[in-house]
Amino acid sequence: MYPQYSYYNKIQKCKEQPISFPPQHQERQPGLEYLMDPLPISENCEYRGSGKLEGKVAIITGGDSGIGRAAAIAYAKEGADVAIVYLYEHRDARETQERIEEIGQRCLTIAGDLREEAFSYHVVEQTIRIFGKIDVLVNNHGVQFPQCSIMDITAEQLDDTFRTNIYGFFYMTKAVLPHLPPGSAIINTASVTAYEGNKYLLDYSATKGAIVSFTRSLSLSLQSCGIRVNAVAPGPIWTPLQPSSWPADYIMTFGTETPMKRAGQPFELAPTYVYLASQDSYYVSGQVLHVNGGTITGS
Ligand code: NAD
Ligand code: MG
């Protein structure tokens, strides 16, 4: 059922990796990870940290679940304390916090709405009060509301998608910037949809294109401060975003359109977020790394 490379054999020791999913739908977005079947794989249990983020402090928006949770756990394994920001998924956030504390790092959970600029300053104040500094910002929160036609995208939906997916990235960056020392890193989560397009995700893919351009421009703007800015463009990944936005039957074949014919799991993104936060990527800025199951994006 699975590719027989030794890498996958290793991963299967953690937990079997499904290539199709039972039909399921959650009514509300953001979705809840603990309700998903099967649960996403957040962690490669064979991943051993080597102190790449020793003594660092990271803020990860959307860090309660999905890709953000996987990055948060890997950051903790690399020696970072992590503040995770989320909208209302308290149980998912608590589970992430428990795992980070089990690893031996500190985890601050902060719930609130990043569509509001004032909340981003609250996030930064809390993080500075508890951890005393910030070295890494991962702008990762997001929503998507698939529609069959542009005619179905209301002004309210358009506003919500842009306020969440791109305004929130500006707000967090502005709030964090005065605290970021030279050598720190900002990482933005974009999407393969920025490159390939998606006929059901016109507003969402437009925000992801904006995130790519924001990443490039911010990188140029912050070069002189010694702050690097990069992005990750995931392909289809098994996270709460999916069952909370697509119809139940769409979920069954989710991700099978990729060259690898399967969805990715959140843990498969984590090393890329570690790389972009650490000194390993010291000569890399303004770039987008594509973790998408082999889709050729042309950039
Ligand atoms: P997820 O649901 O686990 O994460 C999204 C998070 O965004 C949620 O945990 C939620 O707390 C947060 N959020 C949403 N609205 C918010 C608001 N107003 N204020 C504060 N937080 C808010 O799903 P995920 O797939 O891990 O998403 C993480 C990022 O990855 C998103 O930017 C998404 O667009 C991007 N992405 C995901 C996929 C995929 O297939 N899963 C593909 C490409 C890009
Ligand atoms: Mg969540």
Side-chain angles (χ1 to χ4, degrees):
M1 186 173 179
Y2 302 105
Q4 290 304 302
Y5 310 123
S6 60
Y7 175 71
Y8 287 97
N9 293 339
K10 274 188 201 169
I11 298 311
Q12 282 177 65
K13 282 187 209 156
C14 298
K15 194 170 175 184
E16 282 236 317
Q17 213 176 340
I19 55 169
S20 65
F21 301 99
Q24 58 202 281
H25 180 71
Q26 296 184 27
E27 283 302 328
R28 206 165 156 215
Q29 205 174 147
L32 301 172
E33 181 150 330
Y34 72 88
L35 294 180
M36 291 174 70
D37 174 25
L39 291 172
I41 308 174
S42 311
E43 180 179 353
N44 175 357
C45 55
E46 298 196 351
Y47 181 100
R48 298 274 174 272
S50 57
K52 286 182 192 292
L53 300 175
E54 197 73 59
K56 303 287 187 193
V57 171
I59 296 178
I60 304 179
T61 69
D64 59 302
S65 58
I67 295 166
R69 171 188 279 187
I73 291 170
Y75 280 15
K77 286 186 173 181
E78 293 291 353
D81 291 327
V82 187
I84 59 177
V85 187
Y86 63 101
L87 192 56
Y88 56 61
E89 311 97 295
H90 303 299
R91 177 167 162 182
D92 285 346
R94 200 167 55 246
E95 287 178 8
T96 306
Q97 180 183 40
E98 282 169 7
R99 180 62 191 127
I100 288 173
E101 289 176 353
E102 206 173 65
I103 289 165
Q105 294 300 136
R106 293 181 294 170
C107 180
L108 181 61
T109 59
I110 310 173
D113 191 343
L114 286 167
R115 287 169 292 194
E116 304 295 333
E117 184 167 22
F119 176 60
S120 63
Y121 288 97
H122 171 74
V123 168
V124 169
E125 276 161 25
Q126 291 291 306
T127 308
I128 293 290
R129 190 169 63 79
I130 305 292
F131 293 152
K133 62 171 189 155
I134 304 165
D135 303 288
V136 179
L137 169 64
V138 180
N139 285 314
N140 168 73
H141 65 287
V143 288
Q144 65 180 23
F145 305 101
Q147 300 290 0
C148 287
S149 159
I150 191 170
M151 303 307 286
D152 300 321
I153 300 175
T154 61
E156 290 73 26
Q157 174 176 325
L158 190 61
D159 198 47
D160 194 4
T161 308
F162 272 78
R163 279 192 165 281
T164 308
N165 292 10
I166 181 72
Y167 284 29
F169 282 33
F170 272 79
Y171 296 154
M172 275 307 303
T173 303
K174 283 177 63 187
V176 164
L177 197 54
H179 302 275
L180 286 184
S184 49
I186 298 174
I187 301 155
N188 298 322
T189 302
S191 167
V192 68
T193 62
Y195 296 86
E196 291 242 291
N198 184 309
K199 66 180 178 180
Y200 301 116
L201 295 171
L202 293 166
D203 50 344
Y204 174 83
S205 59
T207 64
K208 294 302 180 178
I211 289 166
V212 170
S213 298
F214 174 57
T215 300
R216 292 172 173 160
S217 298
L218 191 66
S219 166
L220 294 172
S221 161
L222 299 183
Q223 204 78 60
S224 58
C225 310
I227 298 169
R228 297 179 303 103
V229 186
N230 290 288
V232 180
I237 311 299
W238 184 236
T239 72
L241 187 70
Q242 306 307 341
S244 65
S245 60
W246 296 105
D249 55 349
Y250 176 93
I251 289 300
M252 296 169 72
T253 54
F254 175 68
T256 52
E257 74 284 3
T258 62
M260 292 192 189
K261 302 205 179 319
R262 66 171 179 89
Q265 291 287 338
F267 79 89
E268 296 179 288
L269 278 291
T272 306
Y273 285 86
V274 169
Y275 170 70
L276 292 175
S278 78
Q279 298 221 0
D280 286 350
S281 60
Y282 227 48
Y283 198 47
V284 179
S285 193
Q287 307 303 314
V288 183
L289 298 188
H290 300 269
V291 187
N292 63 21
T295 299
I296 307 301
T297 58
S299 170

PDB file of all heavy atoms in Angstrom, residues 31 64-65 89, ligand 2:
ATOM      1  N   GLY A  31     -11.194  23.959  11.842  1.00  0.00           N
ATOM      2  CA  GLY A  31     -11.609  22.635  12.268  1.00  0.00           C
ATOM      3  C   GLY A  31     -10.856  22.177  13.509  1.00  0.00           C
ATOM      4  O   GLY A  31      -9.905  22.833  13.959  1.00  0.00           O
ATOM      5  N   ASP A  64      -1.591  25.390  17.074  1.00  0.00           N
ATOM      6  CA  ASP A  64      -2.336  24.385  17.843  1.00  0.00           C
ATOM      7  C   ASP A  64      -2.484  23.075  17.080  1.00  0.00           C
ATOM      8  O   ASP A  64      -2.558  22.006  17.684  1.00  0.00           O
ATOM      9  CB  ASP A  64      -3.744  24.914  18.167  1.00  0.00           C
ATOM     10  CG  ASP A  64      -4.509  25.246  16.887  1.00  0.00           C
ATOM     11  OD1 ASP A  64      -4.017  26.088  16.101  1.00  0.00           O
ATOM     12  OD2 ASP A  64      -5.574  24.642  16.661  1.00  0.00           O
ATOM     13  N   SER A  65      -2.530  23.156  15.757  1.00  0.00           N
ATOM     14  CA  SER A  65      -2.916  21.975  14.965  1.00  0.00           C
ATOM     15  C   SER A  65      -2.186  21.968  13.629  1.00  0.00           C
ATOM     16  O   SER A  65      -1.482  22.913  13.277  1.00  0.00           O
ATOM     17  CB  SER A  65      -4.440  21.997  14.719  1.00  0.00           C
ATOM     18  OG  SER A  65      -4.808  23.193  14.051  1.00  0.00           O
ATOM     19  N   GLU A  89      -9.450  26.671  19.339  1.00  0.00           N
ATOM     20  CA  GLU A  89      -9.352  25.209  19.464  1.00  0.00           C
ATOM     21  C   GLU A  89      -8.528  24.854  20.715  1.00  0.00           C
ATOM     22  O   GLU A  89      -7.393  24.362  20.615  1.00  0.00           O
ATOM     23  CB  GLU A  89      -8.698  24.612  18.211  1.00  0.00           C
ATOM     24  CG  GLU A  89      -9.289  25.092  16.897  1.00  0.00           C
ATOM     25  CD  GLU A  89      -8.484  26.239  16.300  1.00  0.00           C
ATOM     26  OE1 GLU A  89      -8.433  27.332  16.906  1.00  0.00           O
ATOM     27  OE2 GLU A  89      -7.895  26.057  15.239  1.00  0.00           O
TER      28      GLU A  89
HETATM   29 MG    MG B   2      -6.426  24.478  14.756  1.00  0.00          MG
END
